[in-house]
Amino acid sequence: MTEFGYTAMCEQTPVKQLVSDLAEAEAAGFDFSVMSDHYFPWIEEQGHSGYAWSVLGAAAHATERLPLMTFVTCPTMRYHPAVVAQKAATMGVLSDGRFSLGIGSGENLNEHVIGLGWPARQVRHEMLSEALDIIARLFTGKYVNYRGKHFSVARAKLYDIPDKPPPIYVAGSGPASLRLAAEKGDGMISVEPLRELVQAFDKAAGPGKPKFGQLPISYDSDEDAARERARRLWRWGVAGWKVNAELPDPEAFEACSATVTEDDVCSVVSCGPDVATHVEAVRAYVDAGYTHVALVGVGADKQGEFISWASKELLPALRGLC
């Protein structure tokens, strides 16, 4: 049975509101939640990018049952994997086991800030593979020494760890990353409703592991307003992952998306007041084989309305799919 989650999007939402939105999402009946982990917003108009791990700590105390998850953290540049392991273990304790670690190879947008450039894709996959090994070893609570091609760990040990290590879900979009997710992760993450991605992962990992997808929704009682908001705040998403992983800052995304139209955006964002329209957009993920679909409400000032509408109309309709 597919589960439907709420996305706390740090790039568009003030940090205190992220916490209150998650509490509202729990009360509204969402099955789980995910949170982006960015240094920058995608475009200047989004206007926010608080530190996700501080917000997650607050959210662990503001909620009681809602599963929490990063979507996704890059454990290779801004953060050393040993530090990510410590953060994730701490979140596992704070949340009483409700935290999952979603990780991926990252974007230039967020990782270039430490001044070490942006590695080629193959190098990023090598780094992610080593990071997964380090994190898994540290989750055992034992001393860890590690020397790889990209990372070293010298006698590190975690003291505050949950009874059960947080599951690790790995973002994948192609053969190499999907193999890595299958070999070293507990499940996969993707943002495309493509059956072939899910099938490739299941073939490599075996059936039964979770598959997380994500879908942006611009809800409004006025369809024109929903479309305008989607174009204004989500035009960066039209170019696709191969472009989005490489651009260095919001100004570059502004330039790249300057000529994107409302129709272009509405090809990737489900827009308007009609529940059936959004159900069909989610159905693509369900039919592709995703076990979890995280929904993004476009626009920070619309979150309360989005959550209330989802509780009363969208979530009941989506559960009819399963």
Side-chain angles (χ1 to χ4, degrees), residues 142-232:
K142 299 177 181 179
Y143 279 103
V144 173
N145 291 288
Y146 182 93
R147 184 168 297 279
K149 181 178 179 181
H150 302 284
F151 295 109
S152 295
V153 176
R155 200 161 167 76
K157 178 180 178 178
L158 300 181
Y159 284 83
D160 292 281
I161 55 177
D163 293 335
K164 185 177 180 181
I168 302 174
Y169 302 122
V170 182
S173 59
S177 54
L178 288 172
R179 282 196 302 271
L180 187 58
E183 293 170 6
K184 298 187 178 184
D186 297 302
M188 67 161 272
I189 295 168
S190 185
V191 295
E192 296 180 284
L194 300 177
R195 183 183 294 272
E196 53 264 37
L197 291 178
V198 172
Q199 290 177 334
F201 174 76
D202 282 343
K203 182 177 180 180
K209 287 189 175 183
K211 279 82 66 174
F212 287 81
Q214 188 180 58
L215 172 72
I217 292 176
S218 184
Y219 167 75
D220 200 291
S221 58
D222 181 334
E223 183 164 355
D224 289 340
R227 289 171 59 90
E228 184 279 329
R229 186 185 313 110
R231 194 271 164 191
R232 177 164 47 86

Coordinates of all heavy atoms in Angstrom, one line a residue, residues 142-232:
K142 N 30.7 1.1 17.1 CA 32.0 0.6 17.4 C 33.0 1.7 16.9 O 32.7 2.6 16.1 CB 32.3 -0.7 16.7 CG 31.4 -1.8 17.2 CD 31.7 -3.1 16.4 CE 30.8 -4.2 16.8 NZ 31.0 -5.5 16.0
Y143 N 34.3 1.6 17.3 CA 35.3 2.5 16.8 C 35.5 2.2 15.3 O 35.5 1.0 14.9 CB 36.6 2.3 17.5 CG 36.7 3.1 18.8 CD1 36.5 2.4 20.0 CD2 36.9 4.4 18.8 CE1 36.6 3.1 21.2 CE2 37.0 5.1 20.0 CZ 36.8 4.4 21.2 OH 36.8 5.1 22.4
V144 N 35.7 3.2 14.5 CA 35.9 3.0 13.1 C 37.1 3.7 12.6 O 37.4 4.9 12.9 CB 34.6 3.6 12.3 CG1 34.9 3.6 10.8 CG2 33.4 2.9 12.6
N145 N 37.9 3.0 11.9 CA 39.1 3.5 11.1 C 38.8 3.2 9.6 O 38.4 2.1 9.3 CB 40.4 2.9 11.6 CG 40.8 3.4 12.9 OD1 41.2 4.5 13.2 ND2 40.6 2.4 13.9
Y146 N 39.1 4.2 8.8 CA 38.7 4.0 7.4 C 39.7 4.9 6.6 O 40.0 6.0 6.9 CB 37.3 4.5 7.1 CG 36.8 4.2 5.7 CD1 36.2 3.1 5.3 CD2 37.0 5.2 4.7 CE1 35.7 2.9 4.0 CE2 36.6 5.0 3.4 CZ 36.0 3.9 3.1 OH 35.5 3.7 1.8
R147 N 40.2 4.3 5.5 CA 41.0 5.0 4.6 C 40.6 4.6 3.1 O 40.9 3.5 2.7 CB 42.5 4.8 4.8 CG 43.4 5.7 3.9 CD 44.9 5.6 4.3 NE 45.1 6.2 5.6 CZ 45.2 7.5 5.8 NH1 45.1 8.4 4.9 NH2 45.3 7.9 7.1
G148 N 40.0 5.5 2.5 CA 39.5 5.3 1.1 C 40.2 6.2 0.1 O 41.1 7.0 0.5
K149 N 39.7 6.2 -1.1 CA 40.3 7.1 -2.1 C 39.9 8.6 -1.8 O 40.7 9.5 -2.1 CB 39.7 6.7 -3.5 CG 40.2 7.5 -4.6 CD 39.7 7.0 -5.9 CE 40.2 7.8 -7.1 NZ 39.6 7.3 -8.4
H150 N 38.8 8.8 -1.2 CA 38.3 10.2 -1.0 C 38.2 10.6 0.4 O 38.2 11.8 0.8 CB 36.9 10.4 -1.7 CG 37.0 10.1 -3.2 ND1 37.5 11.0 -4.1 CD2 36.5 9.0 -3.9 CE1 37.4 10.4 -5.3 NE2 36.8 9.2 -5.2
F151 N 38.0 9.6 1.3 CA 37.7 10.0 2.7 C 38.6 9.1 3.7 O 38.9 7.9 3.4 CB 36.2 9.7 3.1 CG 35.3 10.6 2.4 CD1 34.5 10.1 1.4 CD2 35.2 11.9 2.7 CE1 33.6 10.9 0.8 CE2 34.3 12.8 2.1 CZ 33.5 12.3 1.1
S152 N 38.9 9.7 4.8 CA 39.6 9.0 5.9 C 38.8 9.2 7.2 O 38.3 10.3 7.4 CB 41.0 9.4 6.0 OG 41.8 9.1 4.9
V153 N 38.8 8.2 8.0 CA 38.2 8.3 9.4 C 39.2 7.7 10.3 O 39.7 6.6 10.1 CB 36.9 7.6 9.5 CG1 36.4 7.6 10.9 CG2 35.9 8.2 8.5
A154 N 39.5 8.5 11.4 CA 40.5 8.1 12.3 C 39.9 7.8 13.7 O 39.5 8.8 14.4 CB 41.7 9.1 12.4
R155 N 39.7 6.6 14.0 CA 39.2 6.2 15.4 C 38.0 7.0 15.8 O 38.0 7.7 16.8 CB 40.3 6.3 16.4 CG 40.1 5.5 17.6 CD 41.3 5.2 18.4 NE 41.1 4.7 19.7 CZ 40.7 3.4 20.0 NH1 40.5 2.6 19.0 NH2 40.4 3.0 21.2
A156 N 36.9 6.9 15.0 CA 35.7 7.6 15.3 C 34.7 6.7 15.9 O 34.7 5.5 15.6 CB 35.1 8.2 14.0
K157 N 33.8 7.2 16.8 CA 32.8 6.3 17.5 C 31.6 7.2 17.8 O 31.8 8.3 18.3 CB 33.4 5.7 18.7 CG 32.4 4.8 19.5 CD 33.0 4.2 20.7 CE 32.0 3.4 21.5 NZ 32.6 2.7 22.7
L158 N 30.4 6.7 17.6 CA 29.2 7.4 18.0 C 28.8 6.8 19.4 O 28.7 5.6 19.6 CB 28.1 7.2 17.0 CG 28.4 7.7 15.6 CD1 27.2 7.4 14.7 CD2 28.7 9.2 15.6
Y159 N 28.4 7.7 20.3 CA 28.0 7.3 21.6 C 26.5 7.3 21.8 O 25.9 6.6 22.6 CB 28.7 8.1 22.7 CG 30.1 7.7 22.9 CD1 31.1 8.2 22.0 CD2 30.5 6.8 23.9 CE1 32.4 7.8 22.2 CE2 31.8 6.4 24.1 CZ 32.8 6.9 23.2 OH 34.1 6.5 23.4
D160 N 25.8 8.3 21.1 CA 24.4 8.4 21.2 C 23.7 7.8 19.9 O 23.7 8.5 18.9 CB 23.9 9.8 21.4 CG 24.4 10.3 22.8 OD1 23.7 10.0 23.8 OD2 25.4 11.0 22.9
I161 N 23.3 6.6 20.0 CA 22.7 6.0 18.8 C 21.4 5.3 19.2 O 21.2 4.9 20.3 CB 23.6 4.9 18.2 CG1 24.1 3.9 19.2 CG2 24.9 5.6 17.5 CD1 24.9 2.8 18.6
P162 N 20.4 5.3 18.3 CA 19.1 4.7 18.6 C 19.3 3.1 18.7 O 20.3 2.6 18.2 CB 18.2 5.1 17.4 CG 19.2 5.3 16.3 CD 20.5 5.8 16.9
D163 N 18.3 2.5 19.2 CA 18.3 1.0 19.3 C 18.4 0.4 18.0 O 19.1 -0.6 17.8 CB 17.1 0.5 20.1 CG 17.0 1.0 21.5 OD1 18.1 1.2 22.1 OD2 15.9 1.0 22.1
K164 N 17.8 1.0 17.0 CA 17.9 0.5 15.6 C 18.4 1.6 14.7 O 17.9 2.7 14.7 CB 16.5 0.1 15.1 CG 16.4 -0.6 13.8 CD 15.0 -1.0 13.4 CE 15.0 -1.6 12.0 NZ 13.6 -2.0 11.6
P165 N 19.5 1.3 14.0 CA 20.0 2.4 13.1 C 19.0 3.0 12.2 O 18.1 2.2 11.7 CB 21.2 1.7 12.4 CG 21.5 0.5 13.2 CD 20.2 0.1 13.8
P166 N 19.1 4.3 11.9 CA 18.2 4.9 10.9 C 18.3 4.2 9.5 O 19.4 3.9 9.1 CB 18.6 6.3 10.8 CG 19.3 6.6 12.1 CD 20.0 5.3 12.5
P167 N 17.2 3.9 8.9 CA 17.3 3.4 7.5 C 18.0 4.4 6.6 O 17.9 5.6 6.8 CB 15.9 3.2 7.1 CG 15.1 3.1 8.3 CD 15.8 4.0 9.3
I168 N 18.7 3.9 5.6 CA 19.4 4.8 4.7 C 18.8 4.6 3.3 O 18.9 3.5 2.7 CB 20.9 4.5 4.6 CG1 21.5 4.7 6.0 CG2 21.6 5.5 3.6 CD1 23.0 4.3 6.1
Y169 N 18.2 5.7 2.7 CA 17.6 5.6 1.4 C 18.5 6.5 0.5 O 18.9 7.6 0.8 CB 16.2 6.1 1.4 CG 15.3 5.3 2.4 CD1 14.6 5.9 3.4 CD2 15.2 3.9 2.2 CE1 13.9 5.2 4.3 CE2 14.4 3.2 3.1 CZ 13.8 3.8 4.1 OH 13.0 3.0 5.0
V170 N 18.8 6.0 -0.7 CA 19.8 6.6 -1.6 C 19.1 7.0 -2.9 O 18.4 6.3 -3.5 CB 20.9 5.6 -1.9 CG1 22.0 6.2 -2.8 CG2 21.5 5.0 -0.6
A171 N 19.4 8.3 -3.2 CA 18.8 8.9 -4.5 C 19.5 8.3 -5.7 O 20.7 8.1 -5.7 CB 19.0 10.4 -4.5
G172 N 18.6 7.9 -6.7 CA 19.1 7.3 -7.9 C 18.4 7.8 -9.1 O 17.2 8.1 -9.1
S173 N 19.1 8.0 -10.2 CA 18.5 8.5 -11.4 C 19.0 7.8 -12.7 O 18.5 8.0 -13.8 CB 18.7 10.0 -11.6 OG 20.1 10.3 -11.6
G174 N 20.0 7.0 -12.5 CA 20.6 6.3 -13.6 C 21.2 4.9 -13.1 O 21.2 4.6 -11.9
P175 N 21.8 4.2 -14.0 CA 22.3 2.8 -13.7 C 23.3 2.8 -12.5 O 23.1 2.0 -11.6 CB 22.9 2.3 -15.0 CG 22.2 3.1 -16.1 CD 21.9 4.4 -15.5
A176 N 24.2 3.7 -12.5 CA 25.3 3.7 -11.5 C 24.7 4.0 -10.1 O 25.0 3.3 -9.1 CB 26.4 4.7 -11.8
S177 N 23.9 5.0 -10.0 CA 23.3 5.4 -8.7 C 22.3 4.4 -8.2 O 22.2 4.2 -7.0 CB 22.7 6.8 -8.8 OG 21.8 7.0 -9.8
L178 N 21.5 3.8 -9.1 CA 20.6 2.8 -8.7 C 21.3 1.6 -8.2 O 20.8 0.9 -7.3 CB 19.7 2.5 -9.9 CG 18.6 3.5 -10.3 CD1 17.9 3.2 -11.6 CD2 17.6 3.8 -9.2
R179 N 22.4 1.2 -8.8 CA 23.2 0.0 -8.3 C 23.7 0.3 -6.9 O 23.6 -0.5 -6.0 CB 24.3 -0.3 -9.3 CG 23.9 -1.0 -10.5 CD 25.2 -1.7 -11.2 NE 26.1 -0.6 -11.6 CZ 26.2 0.0 -12.7 NH1 25.2 -0.2 -13.6 NH2 27.1 0.9 -13.0
L180 N 24.2 1.5 -6.7 CA 24.7 1.9 -5.4 C 23.5 1.9 -4.4 O 23.7 1.4 -3.2 CB 25.3 3.3 -5.5 CG 26.0 3.8 -4.2 CD1 27.1 2.9 -3.9 CD2 26.5 5.2 -4.5
A181 N 22.4 2.4 -4.7 CA 21.2 2.3 -3.8 C 20.9 0.9 -3.5 O 20.5 0.6 -2.3 CB 20.0 3.1 -4.5
A182 N 20.9 0.0 -4.5 CA 20.6 -1.4 -4.3 C 21.6 -2.1 -3.4 O 21.2 -2.9 -2.5 CB 20.4 -2.1 -5.6
E183 N 22.9 -1.8 -3.6 CA 23.9 -2.5 -2.9 C 24.1 -2.0 -1.5 O 24.4 -2.8 -0.6 CB 25.2 -2.4 -3.7 CG 25.2 -3.1 -5.0 CD 26.4 -2.7 -5.9 OE1 27.3 -2.0 -5.4 OE2 26.5 -3.1 -7.0
K184 N 24.0 -0.7 -1.2 CA 24.4 -0.2 0.0 C 23.3 0.6 0.8 O 23.5 1.1 1.9 CB 25.6 0.7 -0.1 CG 26.8 0.0 -0.7 CD 28.1 0.9 -0.7 CE 29.2 0.1 -1.2 NZ 30.5 0.9 -1.2
G185 N 22.1 0.7 0.2 CA 21.0 1.4 0.8 C 19.9 0.5 1.2 O 19.8 -0.7 0.8
D186 N 18.9 1.0 2.0 CA 17.7 0.3 2.4 C 16.6 0.5 1.5 O 15.5 0.0 1.7 CB 17.4 0.6 3.9 CG 18.5 0.2 4.8 OD1 18.8 -1.0 4.9 OD2 19.0 1.1 5.5
G187 N 16.7 1.4 0.5 CA 15.7 1.8 -0.4 C 16.2 2.8 -1.3 O 17.3 3.3 -1.2
M188 N 15.4 3.3 -2.3 CA 15.8 4.3 -3.3 C 14.9 5.5 -3.2 O 13.7 5.5 -2.7 CB 15.7 3.7 -4.7 CG 14.4 3.3 -5.2 SD 14.3 3.2 -7.0 CE 14.0 4.9 -7.5
I189 N 15.4 6.6 -3.7 CA 14.7 7.9 -3.9 C 14.8 8.3 -5.3 O 15.9 8.2 -5.9 CB 15.3 8.9 -2.9 CG1 15.2 8.5 -1.5 CG2 14.8 10.3 -3.2 CD1 16.0 9.4 -0.5
S190 N 13.8 8.8 -5.9 CA 13.8 9.4 -7.2 C 12.7 10.4 -7.3 O 11.7 10.4 -6.5 CB 13.7 8.4 -8.3 OG 13.9 9.0 -9.6
V191 N 12.8 11.3 -8.3 CA 11.7 12.3 -8.5 C 11.1 12.2 -9.8 O 10.4 13.1 -10.3 CB 12.3 13.8 -8.3 CG1 12.8 14.0 -6.9 CG2 13.4 14.0 -9.3
E192 N 11.3 11.0 -10.5 CA 10.6 10.8 -11.8 C 9.7 9.6 -11.7 O 10.2 8.5 -11.2 CB 11.7 10.6 -12.8 CG 12.6 11.8 -13.1 CD 13.6 11.5 -14.2 OE1 14.6 10.8 -13.9 OE2 13.4 11.9 -15.3
P193 N 8.5 9.7 -12.2 CA 7.6 8.5 -12.1 C 7.8 7.5 -13.2 O 6.9 7.3 -14.0 CB 6.2 9.2 -12.2 CG 6.4 10.4 -13.1 CD 7.8 10.9 -12.7
L194 N 9.0 7.0 -13.3 CA 9.3 6.1 -14.4 C 9.4 4.7 -13.9 O 10.2 4.3 -13.0 CB 10.7 6.5 -15.0 CG 10.8 7.9 -15.5 CD1 12.2 8.2 -16.0 CD2 9.8 8.1 -16.7
R195 N 8.6 3.8 -14.5 CA 8.6 2.4 -14.0 C 10.0 1.7 -14.2 O 10.4 0.9 -13.4 CB 7.5 1.6 -14.9 CG 7.4 0.2 -14.5 CD 6.4 -0.5 -15.4 NE 5.0 0.0 -15.1 CZ 4.2 -0.4 -14.2 NH1 4.6 -1.4 -13.4 NH2 3.0 0.1 -14.1
E196 N 10.7 2.2 -15.3 CA 12.0 1.5 -15.5 C 13.0 1.8 -14.4 O 13.9 0.9 -14.2 CB 12.6 2.0 -16.9 CG 12.7 3.5 -17.1 CD 11.5 4.1 -17.8 OE1 10.4 3.6 -17.6 OE2 11.7 5.0 -18.6
L197 N 12.9 2.9 -13.7 CA 13.8 3.2 -12.6 C 13.5 2.2 -11.5 O 14.4 1.6 -10.9 CB 13.6 4.6 -12.1 CG 14.1 5.7 -13.0 CD1 13.8 7.1 -12.4 CD2 15.6 5.6 -13.3
V198 N 12.2 2.1 -11.1 CA 11.8 1.2 -10.1 C 12.2 -0.3 -10.4 O 12.7 -1.0 -9.6 CB 10.3 1.3 -9.8 CG1 9.8 0.3 -8.8 CG2 10.0 2.7 -9.3
Q199 N 11.9 -0.7 -11.6 CA 12.2 -2.0 -12.0 C 13.7 -2.3 -12.0 O 14.2 -3.4 -11.5 CB 11.7 -2.3 -13.4 CG 10.2 -2.4 -13.5 CD 9.6 -2.6 -14.9 OE1 10.3 -2.2 -15.9 NE2 8.5 -3.1 -15.0
A200 N 14.5 -1.3 -12.4 CA 16.0 -1.5 -12.3 C 16.5 -1.7 -10.9 O 17.3 -2.5 -10.6 CB 16.7 -0.4 -13.0
F201 N 15.9 -0.8 -10.0 CA 16.3 -0.9 -8.6 C 15.8 -2.3 -8.0 O 16.6 -3.0 -7.3 CB 15.6 0.2 -7.8 CG 15.9 0.1 -6.3 CD1 17.1 0.4 -5.8 CD2 14.8 -0.4 -5.5 CE1 17.3 0.2 -4.4 CE2 15.1 -0.5 -4.1 CZ 16.3 -0.2 -3.6
D202 N 14.6 -2.7 -8.3 CA 14.1 -4.0 -7.7 C 14.9 -5.1 -8.3 O 15.2 -6.1 -7.5 CB 12.6 -4.1 -8.1 CG 11.7 -3.3 -7.2 OD1 12.2 -2.9 -6.1 OD2 10.5 -3.1 -7.6
K203 N 15.3 -5.1 -9.5 CA 16.1 -6.1 -10.1 C 17.5 -6.3 -9.4 O 17.9 -7.4 -9.1 CB 16.3 -5.9 -11.6 CG 17.1 -7.0 -12.3 CD 17.3 -6.7 -13.8 CE 18.0 -7.8 -14.5 NZ 18.2 -7.6 -15.9
A204 N 18.0 -5.1 -9.0 CA 19.4 -5.1 -8.4 C 19.2 -5.4 -6.9 O 20.1 -6.1 -6.3 CB 20.1 -3.8 -8.6
A205 N 18.2 -4.9 -6.2 CA 18.1 -5.0 -4.8 C 17.2 -6.2 -4.3 O 17.3 -6.6 -3.2 CB 17.5 -3.7 -4.2
G206 N 16.4 -6.7 -5.2 CA 15.3 -7.6 -4.8 C 14.1 -6.9 -4.4 O 14.1 -5.7 -4.0
P207 N 12.9 -7.5 -4.6 CA 11.7 -6.8 -4.3 C 11.5 -6.6 -2.8 O 12.1 -7.2 -2.0 CB 10.6 -7.8 -4.8 CG 11.3 -9.2 -4.7 CD 12.7 -8.9 -5.0
G208 N 10.7 -5.6 -2.5 CA 10.3 -5.3 -1.2 C 10.9 -4.1 -0.5 O 10.4 -3.7 0.6
K209 N 12.0 -3.6 -1.1 CA 12.6 -2.4 -0.4 C 11.8 -1.1 -0.8 O 11.2 -1.0 -1.9 CB 14.0 -2.2 -0.9 CG 15.0 -3.2 -0.3 CD 16.4 -2.9 -0.5 CE 17.4 -3.8 0.2 NZ 18.8 -3.4 0.0
P210 N 11.7 -0.1 0.1 CA 10.9 1.1 -0.2 C 11.5 1.9 -1.3 O 12.7 1.9 -1.6 CB 11.1 1.9 1.1 CG 11.4 0.9 2.2 CD 12.2 -0.2 1.5
K211 N 10.6 2.5 -2.1 CA 10.9 3.4 -3.2 C 10.2 4.7 -2.9 O 9.0 4.8 -2.9 CB 10.5 2.8 -4.5 CG 11.5 1.8 -5.1 CD 11.3 0.4 -4.5 CE 10.0 -0.2 -4.9 NZ 9.9 -1.7 -4.5
F212 N 10.9 5.8 -2.8 CA 10.4 7.1 -2.5 C 10.4 8.0 -3.7 O 11.4 8.2 -4.4 CB 11.2 7.8 -1.4 CG 11.0 7.3 0.0 CD1 11.7 6.1 0.4 CD2 10.2 7.9 0.9 CE1 11.5 5.6 1.7 CE2 10.0 7.4 2.2 CZ 10.6 6.2 2.6
G213 N 9.2 8.6 -4.0 CA 9.1 9.6 -5.1 C 8.6 10.9 -4.5 O 8.3 11.0 -3.3
Q214 N 8.6 11.9 -5.3 CA 8.2 13.2 -4.9 C 7.5 14.0 -6.0 O 8.0 13.9 -7.2 CB 9.4 14.0 -4.4 CG 9.0 15.4 -3.7 CD 10.2 16.1 -3.2 OE1 11.1 16.4 -4.0 NE2 10.3 16.4 -1.9
L215 N 6.4 14.7 -5.7 CA 5.6 15.4 -6.7 C 5.3 16.8 -6.2 O 4.7 16.9 -5.1 CB 4.4 14.6 -7.0 CG 3.3 15.3 -7.9 CD1 3.8 15.4 -9.3 CD2 2.0 14.6 -7.8
P216 N 5.6 17.9 -6.9 CA 5.1 19.2 -6.5 C 3.7 19.4 -7.0 O 3.2 19.1 -8.1 CB 6.1 20.1 -7.3 CG 6.5 19.3 -8.5 CD 6.5 17.9 -8.1
I217 N 2.9 20.1 -6.1 CA 1.5 20.4 -6.3 C 1.3 21.9 -6.0 O 1.6 22.4 -4.9 CB 0.6 19.6 -5.4 CG1 0.6 18.1 -5.9 CG2 -0.9 20.1 -5.5 CD1 -0.2 17.2 -5.0
S218 N 0.8 22.6 -7.0 CA 0.4 24.0 -6.7 C -1.1 24.1 -6.6 O -1.8 24.2 -7.6 CB 0.9 24.9 -7.9 OG 0.6 26.3 -7.6
Y219 N -1.6 24.0 -5.4 CA -3.0 24.0 -5.1 C -3.5 25.4 -4.9 O -2.9 26.3 -4.2 CB -3.4 23.2 -3.9 CG -4.8 23.5 -3.5 CD1 -5.9 22.9 -4.2 CD2 -5.1 24.3 -2.4 CE1 -7.2 23.2 -3.8 CE2 -6.4 24.5 -2.0 CZ -7.4 24.0 -2.7 OH -8.7 24.3 -2.3
D220 N -4.7 25.7 -5.5 CA -5.4 27.0 -5.3 C -6.8 26.8 -5.8 O -7.0 26.1 -6.8 CB -4.7 28.2 -6.0 CG -5.0 29.5 -5.4 OD1 -6.2 29.9 -5.6 OD2 -4.2 30.1 -4.8
S221 N -7.7 27.5 -5.1 CA -9.1 27.5 -5.6 C -9.2 28.2 -7.0 O -10.2 27.9 -7.7 CB -10.1 28.1 -4.6 OG -9.7 29.5 -4.4
D222 N -8.3 29.0 -7.3 CA -8.2 29.7 -8.6 C -7.1 29.1 -9.4 O -5.9 29.2 -9.1 CB -7.9 31.2 -8.3 CG -7.8 32.0 -9.6 OD1 -7.5 31.5 -10.7 OD2 -8.1 33.3 -9.5
E223 N -7.4 28.4 -10.5 CA -6.4 27.7 -11.3 C -5.4 28.7 -11.9 O -4.2 28.3 -11.9 CB -7.1 26.9 -12.4 CG -6.1 26.1 -13.2 CD -6.7 25.0 -14.1 OE1 -7.9 24.9 -14.0 OE2 -6.0 24.4 -14.8
D224 N -5.8 29.8 -12.3 CA -4.8 30.8 -12.8 C -3.8 31.2 -11.8 O -2.6 31.3 -12.1 CB -5.5 32.0 -13.4 CG -6.3 31.8 -14.6 OD1 -6.0 30.8 -15.3 OD2 -7.2 32.6 -14.9
A225 N -4.2 31.4 -10.5 CA -3.3 31.7 -9.5 C -2.4 30.5 -9.2 O -1.2 30.8 -8.9 CB -4.1 32.1 -8.2
A226 N -2.9 29.3 -9.2 CA -2.0 28.1 -9.0 C -0.9 28.0 -10.1 O 0.2 27.8 -9.8 CB -2.9 26.9 -9.0
R227 N -1.3 28.3 -11.3 CA -0.3 28.2 -12.4 C 0.7 29.3 -12.3 O 1.9 29.1 -12.6 CB -1.1 28.3 -13.8 CG -1.9 27.1 -14.1 CD -2.8 27.3 -15.4 NE -2.0 27.7 -16.5 CZ -1.5 26.8 -17.4 NH1 -1.7 25.5 -17.2 NH2 -0.8 27.2 -18.4
E228 N 0.3 30.5 -12.0 CA 1.2 31.7 -11.8 C 2.2 31.4 -10.7 O 3.4 31.6 -10.9 CB 0.4 32.9 -11.5 CG 1.3 34.2 -11.5 CD 2.0 34.4 -10.1 OE1 1.4 34.0 -9.1 OE2 3.1 35.0 -10.1
R229 N 1.7 30.8 -9.6 CA 2.6 30.5 -8.5 C 3.6 29.4 -8.9 O 4.8 29.5 -8.5 CB 1.8 30.1 -7.3 CG 2.7 29.9 -6.0 CD 1.9 29.3 -4.8 NE 0.7 30.1 -4.6 CZ -0.5 29.5 -4.9 NH1 -0.7 28.3 -5.3 NH2 -1.6 30.3 -4.7
A230 N 3.1 28.5 -9.6 CA 4.0 27.4 -10.0 C 5.1 27.9 -10.9 O 6.3 27.6 -10.8 CB 3.2 26.3 -10.7
R231 N 4.8 28.8 -11.9 CA 5.8 29.4 -12.8 C 6.8 30.2 -12.0 O 8.0 30.1 -12.2 CB 5.1 30.2 -13.8 CG 5.9 30.5 -15.0 CD 6.7 31.8 -14.8 NE 7.8 32.0 -15.8 CZ 8.7 32.9 -15.7 NH1 8.7 33.8 -14.8 NH2 9.7 32.9 -16.6
R232 N 6.3 31.0 -11.1 CA 7.1 31.9 -10.3 C 8.1 31.2 -9.4 O 9.3 31.6 -9.3 CB 6.2 32.9 -9.5 CG 6.9 33.9 -8.6 CD 6.0 35.0 -8.2 NE 4.7 34.5 -7.7 CZ 4.5 34.1 -6.5 NH1 5.4 34.2 -5.6 NH2 3.3 33.7 -6.1

